[in-house]
Amino acid sequence: APAMADKLGLGRAALPEEIAAWDGDVRPDGTGLPVGSGDAIIGEEIFATQCAACHGDFAEGIGNWPKLAGGMDTLYHDDPLKTVGSYWPYLSTAFDYIKRSMPYGNAGTLSDDETYAILAYILYSNDLIDDDFVLSNETFLDVEMPNADGFIVDDRAETEYAQWRGEPCMENCKPEPVSVTMRAMVLDVTPQEEAQAPAEETNVAETAAQAEPEVVAA
Amino acid sequence: MSDHETGNRPSRRAFLGGAAAAGALTAGGARAQTPDPLITEIQPWAQGFGDGVDAVRYGLPIEYEGDVIRRNVEWLTADTISSINFTPIHALEGTITPQGCAFERHHSGAIDLRKEDYRLMINGLVDRPLVFNYADLERFPRENHVYFCECAANTGMEWAGAQLNGAQFTHGMIHNMEYTGVPLRILLEEAGLDTAGDLADKWVFVEGADASSNGRSIPMEKALDDVLVAFKANGEALRKEHGYPVRLVVPGWEGNMWVKWIRRIEVMDGPVESREETSKYTDTLEDGTSRKWTWAMDAKSVVTSPSPQAPVTHGTGPLVISGLAWSGRGAITRVDVSKDGGMSWETARLARPGERMALSRFYLDTHWDGSEMLLQSRAMDDTGYVQPTKAQLRAVRGLNSIYHNNCIQTWLLRANGEAENVEVS
């Protein structure tokens, strides 16, 4: 440990009530979970009034709003569907996030029991629990998250850095003359600020590109 | 020039205007045929008054620079509250980003938090959990550093192909500011870390005061190294949209971890695995597994001019190729520029020696003969890392990583001076 500096005596002691008010994080092993419970049947009603306007009646998502259910076994597809069921490694994250930051625009208003119930409904919508399963601080770790083992710690040092180091090519770096293989104007999804004529037809080789709305999706 | 060429607005007006004058300008030193009335006639600004010193107490750019603004891309997100906008890097020079057009990324909007209402809590495995108010923070020893903040998703829309037409859109989730703040290390020491024991396996969890909270876990080694709790940027208070009054500055690491409106720092014996480090900011590989904790932003560069929003309007002859390079793992040591899509390269000139985890400006002063060019730039940092091509990145990661796209960018500069975002073989 580095040498500790002298304290300046700034700030004041945090009171237990203050820490309790702000420290709500829940860890993968369940640390931080409040006492409480709820099931999918109760959760469905709450979800319908608090969540479904954006996330759909079955957590399937509406429009560009996040899908919370579905997408099982799609992670290796061209267009993976990443949901609580198909992607999220830990249930703790869902409790923590829903309790603190949802509903969007009215965050922090759900009780602990409501949060358990909503989460049970999301799990049910993902076919991960039966409708009689009561999710609580005690049963929390009984739920198996399908993608719990789907993550590796950043391995760029091993898989990338070694091969991209060193003196790069400066002359005659490609075997064939360089040609254009894809053009942004073909897709034409860049915001425009005044009227314009349509894009010229071209005979440049084109690969169909898909706009990717999930890059910064909420 | 064809009427139905498309360029990215709003530069088209400038382009058209410039093209009309191109004949006269191309020759460079050509003799004027008739005297220029801007010289031979007394102009109003040379005769009467300009504005008094009391006209503007805090100024905005002159109206003719109305192009140099943030832009958003509606289809990227479900709404504009949890969304992104883009810095107009195509129009900027040097390295410091003007705060007023520096990009924003919020998850529950830009909140309004007065200094009087501001509180920062440090709790968890500390000797004494503390609450600071804003004034407390200004009494700790300060440091000043220039760092880039790049969104992990910068260039993310380009994984599948050439999509958005302009450096602002492809590379503009970035800003670079001079921060003033207190090292996080000093605040942690004030709370005391003896309770935490061996710090090697400890973490801090940081979260904001906004509804999204944006909680992220940071290993203690980084927290004690160079992380700043910042309250000024580019000399003045943080802008509201950048975390006023206090944000975290995490040099070299993905922008999501630069928690704004920071309200709590908890020392822990492990990561929280919060939403922003599981559901988001994890990078899915081709086989369906995903990298997590991809914190550092690797070496990257882009030619900012010429570019789709910054076409060449002056015809052939001398041409300044200007661009930005940066690395989250150190200082930029060199940038190469290609005019032929990567077949051959010339080493550009760094405007200043590279600084660690900060933007560097590079230039290639060249002569344009009017033929098509495929412009690229390739950054190198002081670890010896060379910025890869998109093909190299895809070979390792596939197409679904979303984040951390630091590939070499290609602009097709046409004979008429317009530029387009393309991919090349």
Side-chain angles (χ1 to χ4, degrees), chain A residues 1-210:
Chain A
M4 293 296 148
D6 290 340
K7 293 190 195 324
L8 294 173
L10 294 168
R12 60 154 176 93
L15 300 176
E17 297 88 339
E18 293 171 330
I19 295 173
W22 275 8
D23 181 355
D25 51 75
V26 181
R27 299 270 295 275
D29 65 2
T31 305
L33 276 176
V35 173
S37 65
D39 62 27
I41 296 167
I42 304 167
E44 182 175 20
E45 286 180 39
I46 305 169
F47 196 90
T49 58
Q50 298 277 1
C51 320
C54 296
H55 295 294
D57 288 338
F58 307 100
E60 79 281 15
I62 291 177
N64 245 357
W65 297 105
K67 299 168 173 58
L68 307 180
M72 296 296 176
D73 297 318
T74 65
L75 297 180
Y76 52 88
H77 291 189
D78 284 347
D79 194 14
L81 174 54
K82 300 179 180 180
T83 69
V84 176
S86 70
Y87 191 63
W88 292 35
Y90 306 112
L91 193 57
S92 56
T93 311
F95 187 96
D96 175 291
Y97 183 69
I98 293 167
K99 181 77 164 61
R100 187 191 345 254
S101 298
M102 288 287 134
Y104 189 54
N106 194 27
T109 56
L110 297 169
S111 71
D112 294 332
D113 285 346
E114 286 173 325
T115 305
Y116 280 111
I118 287 171
L119 191 45
Y121 182 67
I122 293 171
L123 292 170
Y124 176 74
S125 299
N126 277 287
D127 299 321
L128 294 177
I129 59 168
D130 294 325
D131 61 2
D132 60 354
F133 182 84
V134 178
L135 185 68
S136 71
N137 52 303
E138 289 176 351
T139 64
F140 204 79
L141 297 180
D142 297 342
V143 180
E144 285 185 36
M145 299 296 277
N147 199 39
D149 298 325
F151 293 80
I152 58 170
V153 174
D154 184 4
D155 64 349
R156 284 176 290 177
E158 296 80 48
T159 56
E160 298 181 1
Y161 295 160
Q163 59 171 316
W164 297 338
R165 206 172 271 153
E167 182 61 27
C169 177
M170 297 298 285
E171 291 292 339
N172 297 315
C173 299
K174 298 191 176 185
E176 306 282 340
V178 179
S179 60
V180 172
T181 56
M182 195 180 287
R183 299 183 41 198
M185 281 189 186
V186 173
L187 202 62
D188 196 23
V189 292
T190 309
Q192 306 291 327
E193 293 185 9
E194 58 184 64
Q196 62 164 309
E200 248 183 312
E201 288 302 315
T202 71
N203 47 18
V204 175
E206 290 150 15
T207 310
Q210 281 261 313

Side-chain angles (χ1 to χ4, degrees), chain B residues 21 63 296:
Chain B
E63 60 183 303

Side-chain angles (χ1 to χ4, degrees), chain B residues 171-183:
Chain B
H171 290 76
M173 297 182 193
I174 193 166
H175 56 59
N176 192 67
M177 302 187 191
E178 182 194 41
Y179 292 98
T180 302
V182 180

Side-chain angles (χ1 to χ4, degrees), chain A residues 9 25 87 161 185 193 218, chain B residues 6 71 190 264 266 275 282:
Chain A
D25 51 75
Y87 191 63
Y161 295 160
M185 281 189 186
E193 293 185 9
Chain B
T6 59
R71 291 185 170 82
E190 189 70 20
R264 194 171 71 89
E266 181 177 358
R275 188 255 196 182
T282 49

Side-chain angles (χ1 to χ4, degrees), chain A residues 1-15 18-28 64-66 75-80 82 87-90 92-93 96-97 100-102 104-105 107 147 149-156 159-161 163-200 202 208-218, chain B residues 4-9 13 71-73 75-79 81-82 84 105 107 119 121 123 128-132 136 139-141 153 156-157 160-165 169 189-190 192 199 205 207 211-213 224 263-264 266 268-275 278-280 282 284 286-296 298 329 334 336 340-345 347 374 378 380 383-386 388 392-393 396-397 400 402 404 414 420-425:
Chain A
M4 293 296 148
D6 290 340
K7 293 190 195 324
L8 294 173
L10 294 168
R12 60 154 176 93
L15 300 176
E18 293 171 330
I19 295 173
W22 275 8
D23 181 355
D25 51 75
V26 181
R27 299 270 295 275
N64 245 357
W65 297 105
L75 297 180
Y76 52 88
H77 291 189
D78 284 347
D79 194 14
K82 300 179 180 180
Y87 191 63
W88 292 35
Y90 306 112
S92 56
T93 311
D96 175 291
Y97 183 69
R100 187 191 345 254
S101 298
M102 288 287 134
Y104 189 54
N147 199 39
D149 298 325
F151 293 80
I152 58 170
V153 174
D154 184 4
D155 64 349
R156 284 176 290 177
T159 56
E160 298 181 1
Y161 295 160
Q163 59 171 316
W164 297 338
R165 206 172 271 153
E167 182 61 27
C169 177
M170 297 298 285
E171 291 292 339
N172 297 315
C173 299
K174 298 191 176 185
E176 306 282 340
V178 179
S179 60
V180 172
T181 56
M182 195 180 287
R183 299 183 41 198
M185 281 189 186
V186 173
L187 202 62
D188 196 23
V189 292
T190 309
Q192 306 291 327
E193 293 185 9
E194 58 184 64
Q196 62 164 309
E200 248 183 312
T202 71
Q210 281 261 313
E212 175 53 88
E214 288 168 24
V215 166
V216 286
Chain B
H4 46 269
E5 288 289 340
T6 59
N8 189 65
R9 265 30 52 183
R13 269 169 302 185
R71 291 185 170 82
N72 84 312
V73 177
W75 56 263
L76 273 177
T77 50
D79 72 356
I81 303 298
S82 181
I84 188 85
R105 201 298 187 233
H107 293 78
R119 299 289 185 274
M121 180 184 292
N123 73 310
R128 184 167 171 256
L130 292 176
V131 172
F132 300 111
D136 293 331
R139 298 172 67 188
F140 283 96
M157 299 81 72
Q163 303 224 33
L164 286 162
N165 207 34
F169 301 106
E189 286 167 356
E190 189 70 20
L199 297 179
F205 182 67
E207 63 180 358
S212 84
S213 102
L224 296 177
R263 82 171 190 186
R264 194 171 71 89
E266 181 177 358
M268 307 182 81
D269 60 6
V272 167
E273 302 274 13
S274 70
R275 188 255 196 182
T278 55
S279 170
K280 305 297 175 187
T282 49
T284 301
E286 200 156 26
D287 67 358
T289 62
S290 303
R291 289 173 174 163
K292 65 177 181 179
W293 307 345
T294 47
W295 300 310
D298 288 322
R329 299 196 308 128
R334 177 175 138 192
D336 295 334
D340 56 12
M343 182 68 87
S344 65
W345 297 85
T347 297
L374 290 165
R378 179 175 69 188
M380 280 163 263
T383 70
Y385 178 96
V386 182
Q392 286 176 304
L393 283 171
V396 176
R397 306 185 195 169
N400 293 321
I402 297 180
H404 292 281
R414 292 210 188 74
E420 184 182 358
N421 176 13
V422 298
E423 283 190 13
V424 295
S425 58

